[in-house]
Amino acid sequence: MSHIIAPSMLAADFGNLQRDVELVNESSADWFHIDIMDGVFVPNISYGMPVLAAIQKHAKKPLDVHLMIVDPDRYINAFRDLGSEILTVHYEACTHLHRTVQAIHAAGMKAGVALNPHTPVSVLNDIIQDLDLVLIMSVNPGFGGQKFIERTYQKLEDLSSLISANNTSCIVEVDGGVGPGNYNQLLDHGAHALVAGSAVFKAEDPKATIDLMKTRQ
Ligand code: DX5
Ligand code: ZN
């Protein structure tokens, strides 16, 4: 299977949201990446349910929802009802992560777990077999347009080793500071899905940038 490109709608033009959703529909991108921030887990507030409903109304590709919120269990069914196909919660925000992952599966979605830059991959040792996706944060979550953290490459290798040591499979996604300058190297280090916000929406030609990132050099 070829790798996945997931443009982050955080970098879209909210005044022209339908236009930007259709841009992704018409592009070679695979998923819509949806960043939900609560101003508590991360020092920023992004957008919530009404905006996601507006995206979902026009989106023709899977919604990959990244929750940067405390106590995400409260909203699992709400995000399912809004069309999320993949629901990713943060390891650092879940006291009972296994229970949360079970609840996401029970709601009929794929379950992902995100790790902040300081969180080692080894914390997933006892849950990796239950996960459909691991999201490695390559910036501190909360804002688009930040600088990629180079340590991410080592974490990707650690994660690939953990996945094969457990004889399981799981999508490895990278989020933050990803673009034409580093996507190949990320794929070389084991990433399967690449989130890109600024690199896509701030580009002169977003669709050509997505095409470029879909092409292995
Ligand atoms: C950051 C979000 C990212 C963000 C990426 O907290 O999780 O998905 O939109 O933006 P760029 O690609 O601009 O770093
Ligand atoms: Zn994200």
Side-chain angles (χ1 to χ4, degrees):
M1 191 188 78
S2 139
H3 63 276
I4 287 160
I5 300 294
S8 168
M9 298 310 287
L10 188 64
D13 176 353
F14 293 113
N16 290 288
L17 191 54
Q18 183 177 351
R19 182 200 68 191
D20 281 356
V21 171
E22 277 161 6
L23 182 156
V24 175
N25 283 338
E26 291 157 10
S27 76
S28 55
D30 301 274
W31 297 344
F32 287 86
H33 186 79
I34 307 292
D35 288 304
I36 305 288
M37 306 178 186
D38 65 355
V40 178
F41 178 65
V42 288
N44 193 16
I45 298 173
S46 55
Y47 51 79
M49 277 66 172
V51 173
L52 178 51
I55 293 173
Q56 196 244 342
K57 191 170 162 204
H58 302 288
K60 297 200 174 95
K61 294 177 180 181
L63 303 180
D64 167 39
V65 177
H66 175 197
L67 298 183
M68 286 159 273
I69 65 174
V70 297
D71 202 2
D73 298 58
R74 292 172 295 167
Y75 300 109
I76 289 172
N77 288 335
F79 283 105
R80 188 262 325 274
D81 295 344
L82 283 162
S84 310
E85 194 159 305
I86 303 153
L87 194 63
T88 295
V89 295
H90 264 265
Y91 166 83
E92 302 83 2
C94 297
T95 309
H96 299 286
L97 182 62
H98 190 272
R99 180 180 292 153
T100 304
V101 166
Q102 282 181 317
I104 294 171
H105 283 149
M109 293 174 284
K110 294 197 174 82
V113 170
L115 299 181
N116 276 340
H118 75 278
T119 304
V121 160
S122 58
V123 299
L124 299 178
N125 202 25
D126 293 295
I127 199 164
I128 192 75
Q129 286 181 316
D130 301 294
L131 303 181
D132 302 294
L133 179 148
V134 174
L135 176 54
I136 300 287
M137 287 307 304
S138 40
V139 298
N140 284 294
F143 303 92
Q146 301 182 80
K147 189 176 178 295
F148 178 84
I149 297 170
E150 298 289 323
R151 170 79 190 167
T152 305
Y153 297 117
Q154 180 59 51
K155 288 183 78 171
L156 288 171
E157 304 223 335
D158 294 347
L159 179 55
S160 299
S161 306
L162 183 72
I163 291 168
S164 39
N166 280 276
N167 204 16
T168 187
S169 68
C170 154
I171 296 171
V172 174
E173 187 173 33
V174 185
D175 184 6
V178 176
N182 58 11
Y183 79 99
N184 270 299
Q185 218 176 328
L186 290 166
L187 297 171
D188 290 345
H189 284 79
H192 309 126
L194 304 174
V195 177
S198 324
V200 167
F201 288 104
K202 308 286 182 244
E204 212 157 285
D205 187 343
K207 281 191 223 166
T209 304
I210 294 168
D211 285 343
L212 171 68
M213 291 178 66
K214 277 295 282 183
T215 314
R216 203 66 195 262
Q217 301 293 324

